[in-house]
Amino acid sequence: AAKGAGRNRYSYFTPALQVEALTRMRLTNDLRNAVKGGQLELYFQPIVHLKTGRIHKAEALIRWRHPTRGLVSPMDFIPLAESSGLIFDIGMWVFSESARWVQRWRSEHHPDFQISVNQSPLEFQRDDGSYLEWQRQMQDLTLSGQALVVEITEGMLLDANTTVSNKLLQLRDAGIQVALDDFGTGYSSLSYLKKFDIDYLKIDRSFTRNLAPDSSDMALSDAIIVMAHKLGLRVIAEGVETEQQRALLAEAGCDYGQGYLFSRPIPAQEFDAMLRAQQV
Ligand code: C2E
Ligand code: MG
Ligand code: MG
Ligand code: MG
């Protein structure tokens, strides 16, 4: 080993950082095995039509059942999936599972049912032909693109290049709808709303949380709903936890609600049972 420069170079890495890096490496390795070894699970959370109280859609949310760590939150492992490139396989798995389930629900009792899947910036901003693979799978299932919604965030449209425009066009061609997730957080530019063809705005739960009559979050939610409707978009409120929030959103004309008041995200089989119960 070299002295001098070499030793100086190593001195950047404190033991704490080494441990952190090691943990990250181990977890990334575990994630690689998880994808192959069936440790990923897909949960669904209902999206409820506020006027009728019926479940019209669901959001697919991924879970990782780690053999020793238990259930790992996507907040913790999606970043690892991105930095390791595993996100592409994971995204394809989420799509395939979602397509299979929604095909079943649409053919059984809910012909208009939709599943929304999340796309991370890395997935959405890379032109890797994954939507062609989606279309191939949809053809195999004889599944209409209308069955699916892709959730992206505002930031992904802000630095829009031709790849992003192309991907949006590919979705449009396939009949797949687009939702803007976590709407209202972070960005003040709204010009992309007229530039791109968006179908749903999902009001971020930071607005829903403090909803009260005459509150500033009520004013903001009202304004978002009015604006969205004038632009021909539907609105989904995230994080609906209380009856008061539901009532205020319904009164404001919000189309759909999602949150613990209706249900937490639940395993696919349980969601299947919930939908069946609604049938009766
Ligand atoms: P998101 O897309 O904004 O998903 C909504 C999150 O809010 C979910 O967290 C959901 O469990 C949570 N939530 C729903 N209702 C309520 C409520 O009433 N109160 C509160 N406090 N929270 C509520 P989750 O499942 O932990 O997912 C976190 C994030 O991870 C998602 O945020 C999404 O950005 C990402 N994610 C999840 N699944 C996937 C996936 O398959 N692919 C990608 N790329 N990202 C995913
Ligand atoms: Mg989402
Ligand atoms: Mg969201
Ligand atoms: Mg959110």
Side-chain angles (χ1 to χ4, degrees):
K3 299 169 197 157
R7 196 168 56 218
N8 284 337
R9 201 154 61 231
Y10 277 102
S11 70
Y12 285 109
F13 297 92
T14 66
L17 278 176
Q18 281 182 27
V19 169
E20 207 182 286
L22 204 64
T23 306
R24 206 165 40 237
M25 268 171 57
R26 284 214 183 99
L27 216 50
T28 303
N29 201 41
D30 287 356
L31 187 57
R32 190 164 289 119
N33 293 326
V35 176
K36 285 182 279 181
Q39 292 167 22
L40 298 181
E41 297 174 14
L42 204 56
Y43 277 40
F44 290 104
Q45 186 178 31
I47 297 174
V48 171
H49 187 238
L50 289 179
K51 276 217 179 87
T52 58
R54 291 179 68 81
I55 305 171
H56 270 206
K57 316 171 193 300
E59 178 173 7
L61 294 159
I62 196 170
R63 299 289 181 261
W64 175 16
R65 199 169 294 281
H66 189 283
T68 55
R69 289 168 195 267
L71 220 52
V72 184
S73 159
M75 303 285 231
D76 295 327
F77 73 85
I78 293 290
L80 284 182
E82 292 187 314
S83 60
S84 60
L86 288 167
I87 191 70
F88 302 106
D89 284 345
I90 291 176
M92 194 55 79
W93 180 81
V94 168
F95 172 81
S96 303
E97 287 292 301
S98 300
R100 215 166 44 78
W101 281 109
V102 74
Q103 198 277 340
R104 177 161 157 182
W105 293 324
R106 282 170 79 98
S107 60
E108 285 177 352
H109 306 290
H110 298 82
D112 299 323
F113 207 79
Q114 286 184 315
I115 300 278
S116 65
V117 296
N118 292 282
Q119 292 263 278
S120 69
L122 219 59
E123 289 174 271
F124 188 70
Q125 288 163 347
R126 185 162 101 163
D127 205 354
D128 58 353
S130 57
Y131 291 166
L132 292 176
E133 173 60 19
W134 285 20
Q135 290 216 50
R136 204 187 58 68
Q137 295 191 19
M138 282 157 45
Q139 271 163 21
D140 284 353
L141 292 166
T142 60
L143 182 67
S144 153
Q146 292 290 327
L148 294 150
V149 178
V150 163
E151 295 195 6
I152 57 175
T153 51
E154 298 164 86
M156 302 189 208
L157 297 181
L158 271 193
D159 35 59
N161 46 30
T162 45
T163 304
V164 165
S165 308
N166 277 338
K167 299 239 1 184
L168 285 168
L169 284 176
Q170 285 172 38
L171 289 175
R172 185 65 50 205
D173 284 347
I176 298 173
Q177 296 190 313
V178 178
L180 271 189
D181 206 352
D182 307 333
F183 185 77
T185 58
Y187 296 94
S188 52
S189 163
L190 294 173
S191 55
Y192 53 78
L193 285 180
K194 61 173 187 188
K195 188 163 164 206
F196 301 111
D197 215 348
I198 308 290
D199 301 285
Y200 299 97
L201 290 190
K202 297 192 77 172
I203 301 182
D204 190 69
R205 71 166 180 267
S206 57
F207 295 100
T208 311
R209 189 182 303 133
N210 303 313
L211 277 187
D214 305 319
S215 64
S216 55
D217 283 314
M218 190 72 240
L220 285 169
S221 300
D222 271 331
I224 292 173
I225 292 162
V226 169
M227 175 193 69
H229 286 167
K230 286 199 169 154
L231 293 171
L233 285 72
R234 308 283 100 188
V235 183
I236 303 168
E238 301 190 284
V240 182
E241 294 185 354
T242 69
E243 172 51 33
Q244 191 196 29
Q245 291 164 350
R246 188 206 61 76
L248 288 170
L249 287 160
E251 200 186 334
C254 184
D255 304 281
Y256 301 96
Q258 177 181 353
Y260 297 166
L261 174 69
F262 308 110
S263 166
R264 288 183 177 256
I266 51 177
Q269 293 291 353
E270 272 176 50
F271 186 79
D272 184 56
M274 186 186 268
L275 262 193
R276 274 167 210 286
Q278 173 172 283
Q279 219 20 62
V280 197

